[in-house]
Amino acid sequence: MTEVVVIDAWLGGLAIGLYGVAQLLLTGKQLGVSSGYGSICALGSRADYFRSGSHAVRNDWRLYFLLGIPLGGLLAALTSEGPIVASLSLGPLYDRVFPQALWAKAALLFAGGTAMGYGSRLAGGCTSGHVITGVALLNWPSMVAGGCFFLGGIAAVQLLFRALG
Amino acid sequence: MRWVFVPLGMLFGFLLSRAGATTYDYYAKLFLFEDFQLLWVILTAAAVGMVGIALVARLRTRALLGGGIDLRKKPYTRSLIVGSLIFGIGWGLAGACPGTALAMLGEGKLGAAFSIAGLLCGTYLFGRRAGAQPTDISRVDR
């Protein structure tokens, strides 16, 4: 697995916070990721949901934003010391509790992704839109959402590591 | 203007990685209360954003690249709590969030590809079931 450089939390948070403000000032758009997955779905679906509201405009900015993020991950890996290693490893902790069989591992990760995709649409945003942007806007529903994100995460991980660890 | 979001996304993905948000272990440690790296990242980002957005709002300016600045707040809905809990379960299970999964893929963490496929599937299932969104991006002006 690629080992990337990790900086102090306060510095990372400062940089991400400033990024969000800069994006807003530059483009007028709030930082948020999850609705971008809807923009991808809109490319191949005729459902009304993907033809209205935030997806009324085809090929919107979110698609381009989502295209850039993996490039940023690649850049971060290239500028870290070790080699880039393509790997299915989930790191020492998750590897200890996740099944070894590829299909079972893939199924769990897929289930996690599905829960995030469905849940974020029900909730109206994800970690970036609700927690970082929403809390920064002093928006109380976003604070409620953020608290529930953490409750769900704690429940899932505690269960995973206690049942299988 | 849309193309500017490719370098912007790239910068965001890079920062997520440097902050540790693309490292699976930090998610497990966060939810096991062993290491609060990601909590401090999120709280610092939100605090910095709070000051920055307040300043941007004071400027009463248009976006530098044109257009208005979106300062709308996401509304409370009946499905917000259950949706957030479902999201949180997925967050803990996948050891990634919708943004970081994409950056992880760029780093060669291939497990994220399954999470991304799931994210598309979950979003698609929701969209199939839901009706049309309100015209104004399902948020309210306040």
Side-chain angles (χ1 to χ4, degrees):
Chain A
M1 196 169 63
T2 311
E3 295 293 333
V4 291
V5 174
V6 175
I7 59 178
D8 282 348
W10 69 270
L11 192 57
L14 175 70
I16 292 170
L18 288 175
Y19 171 82
V21 176
Q23 180 185 313
L24 188 67
L25 185 61
L26 198 63
T27 66
K29 311 288 188 203
Q30 291 181 7
L31 173 62
V33 175
S34 63
S35 52
Y37 286 91
S39 301
I40 298 176
C41 289
L43 296 175
S45 169
R46 290 194 186 144
D48 288 343
Y49 182 85
F50 299 119
R51 287 280 178 275
S52 57
S54 42
H55 302 306
V57 181
R58 304 279 284 155
N59 298 329
D60 68 344
W61 64 272
R62 295 178 182 85
L63 282 178
Y64 297 80
F65 188 56
L66 261 63
L67 196 64
I69 297 175
L71 298 175
L74 177 64
L75 180 68
L78 285 171
T79 52
S80 296
E81 269 195 19
I84 298 182
V85 186
S87 162
L88 285 161
S89 166
L90 305 178
L93 286 175
Y94 278 100
D95 276 349
R96 209 170 69 212
V97 295
F98 259 60
Q100 293 296 310
L102 179 60
W103 68 268
K105 194 179 193 172
L108 265 182
L109 291 169
F110 185 83
T114 306
M116 280 194 287
Y118 199 87
S120 62
R121 294 288 36 86
L122 269 180
C126 67
T127 340
S128 53
H130 262 315
V131 189
I132 296 178
T133 308
V135 174
L137 282 164
L138 298 171
N139 184 36
W140 70 265
S142 291
M143 297 179 193
V144 172
C148 293
F149 289 169
F150 275 94
L151 286 180
I154 291 165
V157 168
Q158 295 276 348
L159 192 71
L160 195 65
F161 281 76
R162 273 160 210 261
L164 304 168
Chain B
M1 216 250 313
R2 292 179 309 202
W3 281 101
V4 78
F5 279 96
V6 175
L8 284 177
M10 197 166 163
L11 177 58
F12 182 58
F14 176 82
L15 294 176
L16 287 176
S17 177
R18 282 293 191 265
T22 60
T23 301
Y24 292 110
D25 264 16
Y26 281 125
Y27 292 87
K29 287 177 178 167
L30 170 63
F31 299 127
L32 292 170
F33 313 122
E34 288 173 7
D35 185 328
F36 295 104
Q37 167 85 10
L38 295 182
L39 181 64
W40 297 129
V41 168
I42 288 171
L43 291 179
T44 312
V48 169
M50 206 179 286
V51 177
I53 290 177
L55 289 173
V56 169
R58 277 243 172 145
L59 287 175
R60 297 183 187 281
T61 176
R62 293 179 65 73
L64 297 180
L65 294 177
I69 291 186
D70 182 6
L71 292 170
R72 288 169 299 178
K73 299 178 177 181
K74 294 173 189 282
Y76 183 82
T77 59
R78 274 185 313 163
S79 57
L80 181 130
I81 287 180
V82 66
S84 300
L85 289 170
I86 294 172
F87 176 89
I89 291 168
W91 191 20
L93 200 56
C97 65
T100 59
L102 292 163
M104 284 168 159
L105 193 61
E107 291 176 358
K109 290 170 181 148
L110 302 181
F114 300 114
S115 307
I116 292 167
L119 270 153
L120 288 169
C121 175
T123 305
Y124 181 75
L125 288 176
F126 179 87
R128 278 291 298 272
R129 196 181 136 274
Q133 303 179 56
T135 22
D136 206 309
I137 77 164
S138 71
R139 297 176 189 181
V140 289
D141 282 51
R142 263 184 255 168

